[in-house]
Amino acid sequence: MAAKKGLGELLVRKNVISFEELQEAKKTQQSEGGRLVSALVRKGYVKENELSEFLAREHNLPTIDLSVFEVDPELVKLVPKRICEKYLVFPVQKADRTLVVAFSDPRNLYVKDDLTLITRCKIEVVVTSESNILNAIENYYEGNNKMDKLVRHLDEEVDEENQQEVEVIDGAQGKDAGPIIKYVNAMLTEAIKAKASDIHIEPYETRLRIRFRINGVLIEKQEPPPAVAKAIVSRIKVLCKMDISQKRLPQDGRLKVKLKNGMNIDFRVNSLPMIFGEKVVLRVLDKSNLEMDLVKLGFDEREFKLFTEAIYQPQGMVLITGPTGSGKTTTIYSALSELNVSKRNISTAEDPVEFNLDGINQVQMHTDIGLDFPAVLRAFLRQDPEIIMVGEIRDLETGKIAYKAASTGHMVVSTLHTNDAVSTIMRLMNMGLPAFMVAEATTLVVAQRLMKTICNNCSEDYKPEKNVLLDLGVPENELELYDSIKKSNGCTYCNGTGLAGRKPIFEVLEFTEKIQAAIVQNVAAKDIKKMAVFQDNMKTLRMSALILLQRGLTTVEEVINVTVKDKF
């Protein structure tokens, strides 16, 4: 450590500190312990970053800030932790046989020789501060231990009898895989086993949060160390063939995994840059969980009759509306599956294609090369289709072509993001479609939501206050029907949420002659809704939610969270 003893004298000689300050720092070092550099910093005689820049200039070397530099966690296997702690070095980057190592004191040339022998690599030196290196050692070496424990914990959560080992597309598997690879594989396995619909990976300043959406509820999982956040995101982006160097723009990708039982499950992946890194959301596309049976969708008798009659019409527009995660994909794929027979030519334009349906011509949008909804719809019309599905009507051009097709002998099914069935009419007209076109070509609009259902394991009877029911919109003459509804306090089975499973609710607006006339005459949306409810017996989303509440299938809170009170 002879070189270290001369650091103070070098700082005095270069007028970085005074001789008196050096002596005071040495006294502090003797009384409090630690290194001389730490004593100098504690006394305020020099700043760590200034010291690093000084040493870098003296030796004509670059500096690095490890707190903002992404280090591959696999590199820590090259240099033992005890070496890093003893000599205050840390491996930063490797290219071929060259290893870049951060030194707090680049004058320790014999350490460079030792590292060459240990790693069998040519060593290139960069300079950083002591605290930078100590923090990196704590985060990355301790992080790998935590990752191994997390992998074991996730593996234990999957029953051995039902173990579904994930085989990802690049084949990095088995006991020789690194901790990041093992963790990502274990996370995907656990999400599939838990029947999660989404995985959320969210970096924050001091932690990395992992959440699974199960039955519509986000459940927090055990957190990996924050130091490996970038490595986990990079691993997922590599699997999805996304650009790992692009961290300032959102990206989309897909990931396919193969289970031990031979099943294939797709994940739709999106990355979003945030202030502390990239958030990644993986949508689990498990076709085995997709119930493509119209009878089992959850329509009541009137709604089922209207929907089936509409999709079997030779022409017209059927719209499925609702926010993301409201079950639109299941409804629209169920309709296509019902219609999918060899005598029909069915074509779909989707962004993205979520599930592959045999016998249906599915086209994935690629807007970067001009393959967008309008372009594909024009092509469809030259391919003699009976049925066209448009993933979403997003703009006037798409709307015009889709409605032209619906008016000229084609059945068109599409989606929109609107609050309810009636507001879909106003949305289309605000987009620029003429009122007469919307009225004449639209056959049916289905607005839907997914309501979380109560956990039967911990539910109990509950008599709500009269005012609560009236505020929900329950008519006063029907209050007695709600005398004994259900509530739940949560249990281990439902992860303490009190809710387990989901059921759809629908608002089905039939375009009768009266409704069509009202649209052409620019009648207000609230009046059209009133007409549909009181003259055509349409159930609103709130009415459908109240029926589930009355049957003891959901809670008052869920009714309020998912639906809006009707105003007539």
Side-chain angles (χ1 to χ4, degrees):
M1 301 293 289
K4 286 252 181 182
K5 291 182 180 177
L7 179 59
E9 286 72 19
L10 176 64
L11 293 172
V12 171
R13 194 164 63 249
K14 295 291 184 176
N15 295 319
V16 177
I17 60 173
S18 66
F19 178 77
E20 290 76 16
E21 288 172 336
L22 174 61
Q23 298 306 309
E24 287 295 320
K26 284 183 175 180
K27 289 179 184 177
T28 300
Q29 182 188 12
Q30 290 172 357
S31 61
E32 299 180 9
R35 303 174 190 272
L36 177 61
V37 170
S38 300
L40 287 167
V41 172
R42 285 200 303 272
K43 296 290 286 184
Y45 299 147
V46 67
K47 294 181 179 178
E48 269 198 312
N49 63 327
E50 292 175 353
L51 181 57
S52 298
E53 290 168 2
F54 167 76
L55 289 171
R57 285 195 304 271
E58 285 293 304
H59 296 275
N60 196 27
L61 294 169
T63 60
I64 189 172
D65 184 355
L66 290 178
S67 65
V68 297
F69 189 84
E70 184 177 349
V71 177
D72 183 352
E74 295 296 299
L75 282 183
V76 301
K77 295 179 179 179
L78 296 176
V79 184
K81 183 181 178 182
R82 58 181 177 80
I83 298 294
C84 292
E85 289 177 328
K86 182 176 181 180
Y87 299 116
L88 286 178
V89 295
F90 192 81
V92 172
Q93 199 171 46
K94 186 174 182 290
D96 297 326
R97 302 306 302 171
T98 299
L99 180 66
V100 179
V101 180
F103 280 61
S104 70
D105 188 346
R107 298 174 304 142
N108 292 341
L109 297 179
Y110 62 90
V111 178
K112 183 178 176 181
D113 294 335
D114 288 348
L115 288 173
T116 300
L117 291 172
I118 292 170
T119 64
R120 297 182 182 178
C121 292
K122 178 186 175 183
I123 303 300
E124 286 192 4
V125 177
V126 294
V127 182
T128 192
S129 65
E130 268 192 28
S131 61
N132 239 209
I133 288 178
L134 291 172
N135 287 336
I137 291 170
E138 180 182 355
N139 286 336
Y140 283 89
Y141 282 92
E142 178 62 22
N144 268 350
N145 292 334
K146 288 180 180 178
M147 291 302 291
D148 289 336
K149 291 176 183 176
L150 269 175
V151 171
R152 287 196 296 272
H153 171 73
L154 286 173
D155 284 342
E156 288 168 3
E157 287 192 0
V158 182
D159 298 336
E160 289 185 14
E161 183 181 345
N162 299 317
Q163 183 95 20
Q164 293 179 304
E165 185 176 336
V166 167
E167 181 182 336
V168 289
I169 54 178
D170 70 347
Q173 299 293 317
K175 62 182 180 181
D176 296 327
I180 299 299
I181 293 173
K182 288 180 180 177
Y183 176 76
V184 171
N185 289 355
M187 178 178 65
L188 298 178
T189 305
E190 174 61 13
I192 294 167
K193 180 244 179 187
K195 298 189 183 302
S197 61
D198 302 271
I199 304 171
H200 291 245
I201 301 169
E202 302 163 315
Y204 295 96
E205 186 173 12
T206 59
R207 67 187 183 117
L208 174 63
R209 183 166 69 173
I210 307 290
R211 295 190 291 173
F212 290 178
R213 188 180 292 280
I214 301 171
N215 291 325
V217 181
L218 283 168
I219 307 295
E220 290 200 27
K221 309 302 289 186
Q222 192 169 347
E223 294 181 359
V228 300
K230 292 178 181 178
I232 290 173
V233 170
S234 294
R235 170 64 179 164
I236 292 170
K237 290 173 78 173
V238 166
L239 293 175
C240 299
K241 294 183 171 57
M242 295 159 72
D243 184 357
I244 62 171
S245 65
Q246 177 57 268
K247 300 172 184 175
R248 297 184 297 172
L249 292 173
Q251 292 189 67
D252 292 299
R254 286 182 81 96
L255 164 64
K256 183 183 288 293
V257 303
K258 183 178 180 181
L259 302 183
K260 195 174 181 180
N261 61 12
M263 285 181 58
N264 290 320
I265 293 179
D266 289 340
F267 290 78
R268 191 177 78 201
V269 184
N270 176 265
S271 67
L272 178 69
M274 298 175 59
I275 56 174
F276 295 111
E278 291 178 278
K279 174 176 177 176
V280 174
V281 175
L282 299 93
R283 168 67 60 88
V284 186
L285 304 176
D286 184 358
K287 194 171 181 179
S288 65
N289 289 335
L290 184 65
E291 181 61 73
M292 292 189 292
D293 186 340
L294 283 182
V295 177
K296 297 179 181 178
L297 276 183
F299 287 117
D300 68 13
E301 186 177 348
R302 171 190 174 272
E303 294 165 345
F304 181 78
K305 182 174 181 293
L306 289 174
F307 188 68
T308 51
E309 285 179 353
I311 62 174
Y312 274 105
Q313 292 292 321
Q315 66 183 50
M317 174 71 74
V318 174
L319 291 167
I320 316 296
T321 76
T324 301
S326 60
K328 297 190 301 296
T329 297
T330 300
T331 302
I332 210 164
Y333 277 19
S334 297
L336 293 178
S337 297
E338 173 76 15
L339 298 168
N340 186 18
V341 293
S342 59
K343 67 180 181 180
R344 293 193 181 97
N345 177 16
I346 304 176
S347 297
T348 73
E350 303 177 60
D351 187 20
V353 175
E354 296 199 11
F355 297 99
N356 300 324
L357 301 176
D358 185 58
I360 293 177
N361 308 296
Q362 296 174 274
V363 180
Q364 168 68 55
M365 300 301 96
H366 291 286
T367 54
D368 52 331
I369 60 171
L371 190 67
D372 53 14
F373 284 120
V376 173
L377 281 174
R378 290 189 189 98
F380 281 171
L381 294 176
R382 293 190 289 271
Q383 295 219 339
D384 189 32
E386 276 85 23
I387 298 163
I388 296 172
M389 190 274 268
V390 186
E392 183 183 350
I393 297 178
R394 297 176 178 172
D395 52 55
L396 177 59
E397 187 178 10
T398 305
K400 279 184 175 179
I401 300 170
Y403 265 87
K404 181 181 178 182
S407 304
T408 55
H410 304 90
M411 168 50 60
V412 182
V413 184
S414 189
T415 71
L416 273 176
H417 290 264
T418 58
N419 292 329
D420 58 21
V422 174
S423 63
T424 304
I425 300 167
M426 307 307 153
R427 172 85 174 91
L428 290 168
M429 291 195 295
N430 289 339
M431 201 181 284
L433 287 170
F436 75 88
M437 181 181 286
V438 174
E440 290 179 8
T442 309
T443 305
L444 196 76
V445 177
V446 179
Q448 66 179 79
R449 297 291 189 277
L450 288 177
M451 295 275 296
K452 301 180 187 72
T453 51
I454 202 160
C455 173
N456 291 326
N457 194 54
C458 55
S459 64
E460 58 184 39
D461 289 339
Y462 159 65
K463 184 171 183 177
E465 296 289 334
K466 177 181 177 180
N467 289 340
V468 171
L469 294 174
L470 292 175
D471 286 343
L472 290 177
V474 176
E476 193 152 3
N477 62 344
E478 294 181 10
L479 289 176
E480 60 183 23
L481 299 176
Y482 298 81
D483 277 349
S484 183
I485 60 176
K486 298 283 186 181
K487 71 173 184 177
S488 178
N489 297 317
C491 63
T492 54
Y493 177 77
C494 60
N495 290 304
T497 63
L499 302 164
R502 292 186 289 180
K503 280 188 176 294
I505 56 172
F506 301 96
E507 180 177 293
V508 179
L509 174 64
E510 181 187 11
F511 274 49
T512 61
E513 290 184 2
K514 291 179 180 179
I515 297 294
Q516 289 175 324
I519 294 170
V520 173
Q521 294 165 14
N522 289 318
V523 172
K526 64 178 182 179
D527 294 324
I528 294 176
K529 188 172 185 177
K530 190 185 300 184
M531 186 186 306
V533 170
F534 295 109
Q535 295 184 25
D536 298 332
N537 297 317
M538 182 186 82
K539 287 205 310 288
T540 66
L541 289 169
R542 173 55 67 93
M543 291 174 182
S544 298
L546 288 175
I547 290 172
L548 291 188
L549 179 68
Q550 179 189 324
R551 294 174 181 170
L553 297 175
T554 193
T555 63
V556 169
E557 293 75 17
E558 186 65 3
V559 171
I560 295 170
N561 289 338
V562 175
T563 62
V564 177
K565 185 178 178 180
D566 296 317
K567 296 178 181 178
F568 297 122

